[in-house]
Structures are given as structure tokens and as C-alpha cells.
Amino acid sequence: MQRQLPPGPTPWPLLGNLFQKDVLPLYNSYAKLTEKYGPVFTVWKGPKPTVVLCGYEAVKDALLGHAEEFGGRSNIPLKIPGSRGQGFVNSNENKWRELRRFTLSTLRDFGMGKRRMSDRVQEEALCLVEEIAAAQGQAFDPRETIRSAVSNVICSVVFGSRFDYKDSAFLEQMEIVTDLTDFLRSFLGIVCSALPKVMDFFPGKHKKISAEAQKMYTFIHEKVKSHRQSLDPENLRDFIDCFLIKLEKDQYHNKVIFSHEDLVVAVLGLFVAGTETTSQALLYSLLAMAKFPHIQAKVQQEIAEVVGTHRPPSMEDRVKMPFTNAVVHEMLRYDKFSSEIFPRAVTRDTEFRGHKIPLGTSVIPLFTSLHFDPLWWETPEEFNPGHFLDEKGEFQKRDDFMPFSAGKQSCPGEALARMELFLFFSTLFQNFTFQLTGDARERDLRSLYFDHMKNHLYPPLQAITCPR
């Protein structure tokens, strides 16, 4: 099999390239690996290969030009709910397609991409403003509050209600979500995914993560149970109600595709994805604006000119706010630490760019390699909103910008995430000026963010209320 795959660094027996520091993490090593092996190369995470795609041309060719071949999904060999093929993380193509189709349709029915969802995000953004204002300009850690605000948007769709920011059960789930996603991004998470049976014999954080994920599974299971008891087919409240009705209809017609387990794990997936990625992006934006006050001031000036102070920003304002929109996009581009937690897989034996990739092989399209490619971006290592502005200062879309992936496996919540990012971001900077405190002011943006990602350390911020 190794002879058929694209070239790559020589793996060690059993361990592959796991402990070769010049290979992993890929966001640090891809440039050198690409220079040596080309834009399509193979790394071995333990005894199993992963094909890595680097650069705009290779990624676009795979995800859009060969969408069917690169449209599979790898299972996660971790002992967490959903790792055995339920919900969105499964390699059953027909089941995955049907679940994605049903989820997108249901989310649209509950307003995703529509005015009522925009109103819901606006309401939550104002709750967030009120919570931050309670700090009265003192230094504070924004993580918990922002996670809760972002999560409440998807909770209102999935569970039919939002949670109070001080709700202890809700806050426990927020902590679990953060621990789980941080673990899956970490080197230990990569090792556990590559060598699950070996790691079963060792104590460590992976054991704790599995237990925490089970708590979250139980929390959602209880929500589903409560919904089943109060279900009214004439008054569907949320995603869970719609899924329960689908289960009943499929059972009646002897067309059983999903199970109760699929429902719980699908909700868990929406809950995690709808919480962590967007909240991390918003936290990153606060750091970026505090670190670059001249950009923050220009954002605030545009908000003041277009929106004023007597109403919250709306999605209709976005087209009139090209600089603010560009800052939001640049913030997504500049996040070098984002990773493909859930690799794709080829759905058949595939010939691609002169290489043979066997059926079922894991594939990682490395989006960092697109977003930091000096051939496409003017100043890739700088935080520069001008990357998304034309010569007239108008916002410009870019084909080489794929923070939500592309093709068959693109993020189903992309429309909601884009809405949340713009509305939360613009509402926060309509109301506050954010400043770093202490020695955090002297450090660069990446080291500040990396400390949070790796060590859960977040520099305190001050939120100074904007004058009216």
C-alpha cells in the first residue's frame, strides 16, 4: 500500500511520523514538507496513512473537481459518543448524506440564513453586551461569557430555549465542549486517535475526556427524553422535535435509516460545532482588535457612520460596512491553529495528480496552506483586512478563502456562523473598546492566542463603554 501513496517522510514502525517533530503539527511543517514532496504528500499517524493536500490548486481540485472521490468521512477511533459511526461522524455514505440533507432542511425551517435567525442572534448579542457591561470597565476573562452567548444561539434551535449565563449545568457543558475540542486538536489527541488500543493501557487526559464526553451525552439524552414526553406533532419546537417525528415516520413506513442514538449524537455534534468554533473566532477577534487599536478604531468609526448608536447592527448593514466585514474575514484567515479534527476519506481507489490513493485513505485538506500562501496573499503573515478589500475599499470575495471547507463536506452551519460572527462582532464594537491589560500588551497576537489554545490561559481584557 505504501508504494501506491504519494511520497512523504519515512515513517517509523507502528508509530509512523507521530513523534517526528519536523512533521507534526502540520501547520508548522507543511511549508518544508511541500517544498520537498510537492503539494500532495503522505504522513503516517501511527500505522495508518493520511494524505495531505496543500495549496489552493490542489485543495480546489480535490474538493470541487473530485468532490465525489474526496467526499467520504473517516471514523474517529476514540471512545467518545459518536466515534462508532453515529451522527455526522460516520463513514456510511447514504446515511451521512441523508442526515446532512435533513439537518440543513430543518435548520432552514427554523430560520438559518433568514431574518428571524438574525433577530435571535441580535437579541443574544444584546444579552452579551449587558453581561460584559456588568464588569464596569474592570479587567475580565471573556471566555465563559462569549461561549455561553454563542452556544445559546444553537441551543435555541436544537433545544428550543436558551440558558442563563450562570446556569451551572449549562456552564459544565461549556467546559466539556472546550476540553473536548482542545483535546482533539492537541498532540495527545492525535496520538490517541492514531493508537487507540495502545493508549487504552495508559492513564491520562484521554480517559478524563472520554468520561466528560459521556456526561455531555447524558445531558443531551435527558433533553431528548424530555422532548419525547412532551412532543406535539402539531407544534414542533426545535430540531429534536423534528428528528423525533422523522424517526416515527420512518418506523411507520419501515424505512429505518436513523436511530435514537443518531439523534443524540447529531444533537451533540451541532451543540459542539455551534459553540466552540464560533466562540473561539470571537475571542480571537477581541484579542486582535485589542492588539491593533488602529484597526479597532476604524471598525468603530464605520459602525458609527452606518448604524449609529440607537439600534443594533443588522445583516442588512453588512454590505454597507466593507471594512468591518473584511476584518471578520481576515480574523478567520489569520487563525493558523485551526485544524481538521475530522479528516475526510476517499470513497474509492482514486488517481489524483499522478498519485494513487486507495479506498478509505484519510485525507486532510490543509486550509492553513491556502490562507498563508504568499503566491495568493499580499502579506500572509500580517493581520491585514486589506486582503478582502479592492482598490476602491469595497469588500471582495476570494476563492482561495475556505475557513468552512468546500464541496460535499463543507460546514452545514456556515450560514449561521457567518451571521453570528458579523452580528456579535459589530454589536460588541458598537458598545465597547477592548484593551489588553498588564504584560499582555507587549506580546504578539499569535503567542497570546496560542497560550489560550494550549494552556487555557487568556489575557484579561478591559471593555471600555463607548461614549454615546
Side-chain angles (χ1 to χ4, degrees):
M1 178 179 176
Q2 189 169 348
R3 295 177 183 175
Q4 302 178 51
L5 290 164
T10 303
W12 293 338
L14 182 63
L15 298 176
N17 305 120
L18 279 178
F19 295 94
Q20 298 175 4
K21 63 181 180 179
D22 55 344
V23 177
L24 299 172
L26 287 168
Y27 67 77
N28 273 339
S29 62
Y30 76 87
K32 290 182 179 179
L33 293 172
T34 301
E35 185 178 348
K36 185 172 183 178
Y37 301 109
V40 182
F41 57 87
T42 302
V43 298
W44 291 75
K45 296 182 178 182
K48 294 185 178 180
T50 297
V51 172
V52 183
L53 309 175
C54 290
Y56 173 61
E57 295 297 340
V59 171
K60 181 186 74 168
D61 191 9
L63 304 192
L64 301 178
H66 295 77
E68 289 297 324
E69 294 93 327
F70 287 90
R73 179 66 83 181
S74 292
N75 282 333
I76 306 175
L78 285 176
K79 290 188 175 179
I80 59 174
S83 63
R84 296 182 179 178
Q86 296 92 12
F88 295 103
V89 187
N90 71 80
S91 53
N92 183 319
E93 184 72 9
N94 292 332
K95 183 176 178 179
W96 183 88
R97 282 176 184 267
E98 181 62 25
L99 179 57
R100 181 183 173 88
R101 187 182 303 116
F102 170 79
T103 300
L104 285 171
S105 174
T106 304
L107 291 178
R108 280 193 294 266
D109 289 343
F110 281 94
M112 189 171 77
K114 299 178 182 177
R115 178 59 185 266
R116 59 182 170 141
M117 180 61 76
S118 175
D119 292 344
R120 189 173 292 166
V121 177
Q122 282 178 318
E123 291 171 8
E124 195 61 48
L126 293 176
C127 292
L128 176 59
V129 167
E130 185 177 334
E131 190 73 12
I132 292 176
Q136 298 183 333
Q138 299 300 309
F140 75 108
D141 184 340
R143 288 174 297 182
E144 188 176 280
T145 306
I146 286 182
R147 273 201 310 259
S148 297
V150 170
S151 186
N152 264 334
V153 175
I154 194 65
C155 284
S156 66
V157 176
V158 172
F159 301 127
S161 61
R162 67 183 295 278
F163 294 87
D164 186 272
Y165 292 169
K166 301 294 190 292
D167 185 301
S168 58
F170 179 51
L171 292 176
E172 182 182 22
Q173 303 313 309
M174 295 298 95
E175 285 298 324
I176 292 172
V177 168
T178 299
D179 287 347
L180 175 60
T181 52
D182 284 354
F183 174 76
L184 289 173
R185 288 190 187 105
S186 71
F187 179 71
L188 179 59
I190 294 173
V191 173
C192 289
S193 293
L195 303 169
K197 293 181 180 178
V198 174
M199 294 303 292
D200 274 349
F201 291 100
F202 295 94
K205 190 173 182 179
H206 56 291
K207 302 282 188 178
K208 177 188 174 187
I209 291 296
S210 180
E212 286 187 341
Q214 192 60 49
K215 285 183 185 178
M216 187 162 53
Y217 176 89
T218 301
F219 173 81
I220 293 172
H221 176 79
E222 290 302 314
K223 292 289 182 184
V224 171
K225 182 179 177 182
S226 173
H227 274 64
R228 189 185 293 275
Q229 292 170 348
S230 60
L231 182 63
D232 178 3
E234 301 301 319
N235 182 29
L236 299 181
R237 299 161 292 188
D238 47 43
F239 179 84
I240 293 177
D241 277 358
C242 292
F243 207 119
L244 288 170
I245 291 296
K246 178 170 180 58
L247 289 177
E248 288 185 4
K249 288 181 177 178
D250 287 354
Q251 191 170 20
Y252 178 80
H253 293 291
N254 293 318
K255 182 191 173 185
V256 178
I257 299 176
F258 305 124
S259 65
H260 180 268
E261 185 82 356
D262 285 306
L263 166 55
V264 176
V265 176
V267 170
L268 188 152
L270 289 171
F271 183 56
V272 172
T275 296
E276 192 62 15
T277 305
T278 304
S279 64
Q280 287 284 2
L282 275 175
L283 286 166
Y284 198 33
S285 76
L286 298 190
L287 272 183
M289 294 301 94
K291 191 65 186 172
F292 306 121
H294 63 290
I295 298 178
Q296 181 175 191
K298 193 169 180 180
V299 165
Q300 290 171 319
Q301 180 184 353
E302 186 175 67
I303 293 171
E305 291 173 353
V306 174
V307 182
T309 59
H310 301 296
R311 66 172 178 85
S314 68
M315 289 305 293
E316 289 75 17
D317 295 320
R318 185 168 60 172
V319 70
K320 304 171 190 173
M321 296 164 61
F323 187 77
T324 302
N325 196 18
V327 170
V328 172
H329 280 70
E330 178 67 358
M331 173 256 300
L332 288 171
R333 181 199 73 84
Y334 198 68
D335 181 4
K336 206 168 192 175
F337 307 115
S338 61
S339 62
E340 282 285 316
I341 296 175
F342 305 123
R344 296 167 181 252
V346 290
T347 58
R348 64 189 71 147
D349 290 340
T350 300
E351 290 205 11
F352 181 72
R353 297 192 149 219
H355 305 294
K356 292 183 178 180
I357 306 176
L359 166 70
T361 303
S362 293
V363 178
I364 294 179
L366 198 63
F367 297 108
T368 298
S369 69
L370 275 69
H371 298 160
F372 286 83
D373 190 339
L375 295 177
W376 294 91
W377 302 89
E378 182 183 351
T379 55
E381 295 297 331
E382 295 180 17
F383 188 90
N384 178 10
H387 289 137
F388 294 92
L389 298 169
D390 64 18
E391 63 277 1
K392 297 179 181 179
E394 295 299 318
F395 180 79
Q396 60 179 354
K397 292 182 178 180
R398 299 189 58 138
D399 292 338
D400 49 351
F401 177 67
M402 299 182 186
F404 299 97
S405 190
K408 286 178 57 182
Q409 296 281 5
S410 61
C411 174
E414 177 177 351
L416 177 58
R418 288 183 179 275
M419 178 185 288
E420 287 182 277
L421 286 171
F422 178 78
L423 291 178
F424 276 120
F425 180 86
S426 55
T427 302
L428 285 174
F429 287 96
Q430 180 191 45
N431 288 275
F432 303 108
T433 296
F434 290 91
Q435 299 174 351
L436 289 167
T437 62
D439 63 358
R441 297 179 222 174
E442 309 305 320
R443 299 173 59 197
D444 67 274
L445 177 59
R446 287 233 175 86
S447 70
L448 290 171
Y449 186 63
F450 189 68
D451 267 355
H452 165 59
M453 295 288 289
K454 188 176 181 181
N455 305 313
H456 283 208
L457 299 175
Y458 202 87
L461 289 168
Q462 286 176 291
I464 310 302
T465 302
C466 293
R468 296 293 181 179

